[in-house]
Amino acid sequence: MTSSVAAVIVAAGRGTRVGGDLPKQYRTLAGEPVIRASLSLFSWHGEIGAVQAVIHRDDVAAYEAAAKGLKVMSPVFGGVTRQASVRAGLEALSANSPDIVLVHDAARPFCSSSLVSRAIAACRETGAAVPGLEVTDTIKRIDADGLVTGTVNRAELRSVQTPQAFAFPALLEAHRKAAAAGRDDFTDDAALAEWAGLKVMAFAGEAGNTKLTTDDDFARAEAKRIASLADLRTGTGYDVHAFGDGDHIMLGGVRVSHGRGVVGHSDADVVLHAIVDAILGALADGDIGKHFPPSDMRWKGASSDQFLKFAVERVTQRGGRVAHIDVTVVCEAPRVGPYRDAMRVRIAEIAGIAVERVGIKATTSEKMGFTGRGEGIAAMATATVRLPWSW
C-alpha cells in the first residue's frame, strides 16, 4: 500500500534581512511570488496528497493572491519561531494524519520535483531524511579572538536544505515533546528530531535549491529564474462542436446562456479544449484526445477544467510555467463580450496564472460556413510556455 504524503510550507517569517515592504516569500521572481513556486511544486507533485501552508496572520491577503488557483489547504497561522510554525502546520494535518510529511521553507523556490521524490523515497527507507550538500570549502574552528584553533574534517559535514522528510507521527510527537520541555531553539526539524532520538539520514541535495535571504540573493535568483526558463515554446489548439439540444453552453469554464446546447462527449467547452491542445502542443505531448479519449466513459459529461489542470500539470512537472494564453472564439451567437472577463478569471484560476496572462477575443465568420449558419461554435488558442533547457 502506498503511504500518504503531505507537505508543510513554512512561510510565517518576516524576512527582516531583505529590504522592501513585503516579506521575502511574497516578493516576486520573474513576475511570480516566491512562495507560489513552492506551493505549485508540492500541489502538482503526484505523490503529495495535501499541502499545508503556515503563514503570518498579517499576510492573509498576500497569501491568497499567491495561492490562487492552487489545490492547497486553508493556511494556518504560525508562531514566534520557525519551530512553533512547523508545529502549527503539523497539528493542522493531524486530523488526517499522513504517513509522511515534508517540511519545506517557502524561501526556497528552486526545489525540483525530483528532489521532492528523492526525499519521499529516502523517508520511506529510513523514517527521517534531509537533503544535504557536501562542504567544499575548508572549515576552521576559531576562538573568541578570531584565532584558528583547528581544522574541521569537512568529509563529515553537510550543508542541509529542505524539504526535510519524516514519518508524520514521529515528527509530531517530537514537536510536542519539545514544546512540553520548553525547547523552542531548534533551527530545523532535523535538529529537533535528533534531540528526540530519531535517526536522520542525509541524502543528496541540489546546489540550485538555494534559500533567499538577502537582496543579493534575490538579484541572483531573478537572473537564474529567467535564464532557467529560456526554452520558449508556442503551441496552437483548435476545437469545434455542433449545437444541439439545451439551454446553455460552457465557454472558458463559464456557463453561458444560449438557446441551444452543444454536442460532445465531455461538457464540450471549445475554449478549454483548444487551450489544452495548445499547451500540449507546446510540450509536443499529443492532444486532448490522446489523454482523454472519447471512447473512455470516465470523461462522459466531464467538466473540462480537469483537462486544463492536467495540461498545466504536465508543464509544472517539467519545471516550466505557462506564460500566456490567447483564445479566439468564432460564432454568430451567443455573444461572448458579456462573459469575457468571467472567462478570463476562470481560465486564470484553473491554470494557476495571473488573469493578465489570459486573452479572450471573439469574432463571427460573416455568415459563412458552419459557424455562420449557426450550426456550431469554434475556438482557436495559442499558449506560450517557458521550460528549462534541460527538457
Side-chain angles (χ1 to χ4, degrees), residues 1 32 35 61 68 86 96 114 119 125 184 194 197 242 267 313 320 328 384:
M1 181 177 178
E32 179 181 78
I35 189 176
K68 192 172 184 179
V86 173
N96 296 316
S114 61
E125 180 181 344
D184 62 357
E194 295 158 24
D267 64 4
E313 181 177 1
T328 300
T384 304

Side-chain angles (χ1 to χ4, degrees), residues 123-292:
C123 185
R124 286 186 177 132
E125 180 181 344
T126 66
V130 298
L133 297 177
E134 294 184 359
V135 176
T136 57
D137 293 327
T138 296
I139 306 297
K140 300 291 185 181
R141 187 180 293 109
I142 62 172
D143 63 17
D145 297 320
L147 296 175
V148 173
T149 61
T151 301
V152 180
N153 181 6
R154 65 187 182 191
E156 299 176 353
L157 302 178
R158 293 295 183 270
S159 176
V160 174
Q161 306 173 321
T162 66
Q164 300 183 358
F166 305 88
F168 178 81
L171 184 62
L172 179 58
E173 181 183 357
H175 268 271
R176 289 173 174 173
K177 180 180 177 182
R183 290 292 304 271
D184 62 357
D185 55 333
F186 295 105
T187 57
D188 75 346
D189 295 281
L192 186 151
E194 295 158 24
W195 170 81
L198 301 179
K199 292 184 178 181
V200 183
M201 182 185 78
F203 63 95
E206 291 178 343
N209 182 27
T210 54
K211 185 175 182 180
L212 303 182
T213 304
T214 67
D215 280 327
D216 285 343
D217 292 337
F218 270 87
R220 287 189 294 269
E222 182 78 18
K224 178 180 177 180
R225 173 66 80 188
I226 294 173
S228 70
L229 298 175
D231 186 0
L232 192 64
R233 307 280 193 91
T234 301
T236 61
Y238 175 78
D239 193 46
V240 57
H241 283 286
F243 287 130
D245 295 335
D247 61 1
H248 75 280
I249 65 175
M250 294 300 296
L251 281 181
V254 175
R255 182 186 173 103
V256 175
S257 297
H258 188 48
R260 305 190 71 188
V262 284
V263 178
H265 186 64
S266 64
D267 64 4
D269 189 324
V270 292
V271 170
L272 294 190
H273 291 189
I275 295 172
V276 170
D277 271 354
I279 294 174
L280 293 175
L283 297 177
D285 194 13
D287 56 24
I288 193 171
K290 170 188 172 183
H291 299 284
F292 305 98

